Amino acid sequence: DDKVEMPPRRSALGLFAGAAMTMAAKPSYAAYGQGANIFGSTSNTTGFYTYAGDGYALLIPAKFGPSKEREFPGADARWEDNYRVANNIIVTRNPTGKGKIEDFGSPEEFIGQIANMLGTNSWQGESQSEGGFDPNTVSSAALLATNTSSKKGKTYYEIEMLVRTADGDEGGRHQLFSATVSNGQLYVVKVQSGDKSWFKGGELPSREVIKSFQVV
């Protein structure tokens, strides 16, 4: 009979421990559909890869790559479009004393918690009114829609904004947010797409990212 040589038990345990340490040290990337299906059913299973961060997971469009930029407090991970840097995704996680997202009030009231992520300029210097903006402002943000969803017993606030900049870049930027509270942390994902990109196919993948976002 053929015999299969097994490695010594100590060596096998060492290999397993090394692999476990590697997995623990790095976030998880995989092509969508590989490994465990952590999202359940989605409307689109192609053109994305999965990312599992510290206490959360989401789908990332295939044409988005990791970015080292961290422009907001608590920024945990960021990606940007390989072709248009104005299109990007960012996840933040910050400590909170709230037990659930509803403790912040309504979705409209919660917007105050993410105001710094809208990209509005808080500069107070003098400026002339330009492009229909009020004097002394260089950008504005309009609320387009709010929604609540439930995933595995947790409520998520979903917010859609349109931000306009004084330079008129891409005609403005669509920003989608999904936020929830888990284990003493406020998790927020922001998906931004330039107006031109939004209407040239950027809307559907942006919404898919928001739909996929979930915490543990």
Side-chain angles (χ1 to χ4, degrees):
D1 295 338
D2 293 335
K3 293 184 179 180
V4 179
E5 266 189 46
M6 299 296 291
R9 181 173 181 274
R10 182 174 298 176
S11 298
L13 288 174
L15 288 171
F16 179 80
M21 288 177 65
T22 301
M23 291 176 65
K26 295 182 178 180
S28 175
Y29 288 91
Y32 185 76
Q34 295 179 353
N37 181 5
I38 59 176
F39 299 110
S41 61
T42 64
S43 60
N44 185 1
T45 60
T46 61
F48 295 87
Y49 59 91
T50 62
Y51 176 86
D54 189 354
Y56 64 91
L58 74 166
L59 292 177
I60 303 297
K63 67 175 184 176
F64 279 59
S67 166
K68 294 182 179 180
E69 187 175 350
R70 298 291 186 267
E71 66 263 57
F72 305 118
D76 191 74
R78 187 182 189 278
W79 303 263
E80 62 184 34
D81 190 321
N82 293 327
Y83 305 100
R84 291 180 178 270
V85 295
N87 304 337
N88 54 68
I89 301 166
I90 187 167
V91 178
T92 64
R93 53 190 300 271
N94 288 287
T96 180
K98 309 292 187 183
K100 56 186 184 298
I101 194 71
E102 293 95 329
D103 293 339
F104 286 99
S106 67
E108 291 79 7
E109 293 171 320
F110 176 74
I111 293 174
Q113 301 295 320
I114 57 173
N116 66 317
M117 299 178 72
L118 298 178
T120 53
N121 195 320
S122 59
W123 181 66
Q124 300 298 319
E126 292 295 322
S127 67
Q128 297 297 316
S129 177
E130 47 186 323
F133 294 90
D134 293 333
N136 303 321
T137 64
V138 294
S139 60
S140 66
L143 175 63
L144 300 183
T146 62
N147 184 45
T148 60
S149 63
S150 180
K151 303 173 188 177
K152 296 184 178 181
K154 292 187 182 295
T155 299
Y156 292 71
Y157 281 174
E158 297 169 355
I159 298 166
E160 181 174 349
M161 309 286 296
L162 177 62
V163 174
R164 296 177 62 202
T165 56
D167 61 13
D169 183 33
E170 284 221 14
R173 293 178 171 86
H174 288 260
Q175 297 181 346
L176 306 180
F177 296 86
S178 180
T180 193
V181 171
S182 180
N183 298 320
Q185 297 286 322
L186 171 62
Y187 290 87
V188 179
V189 59
K190 170 191 173 184
V191 182
Q192 177 173 283
S193 177
D195 201 44
K196 293 179 181 178
S197 301
W198 180 265
F199 290 110
K200 290 182 178 179
E203 178 181 0
L204 289 180
S206 296
R207 295 193 185 283
E208 195 69 40
V209 173
I210 293 296
K211 179 181 176 182
S212 72
F213 180 64
Q214 65 182 45
V215 300
V216 296

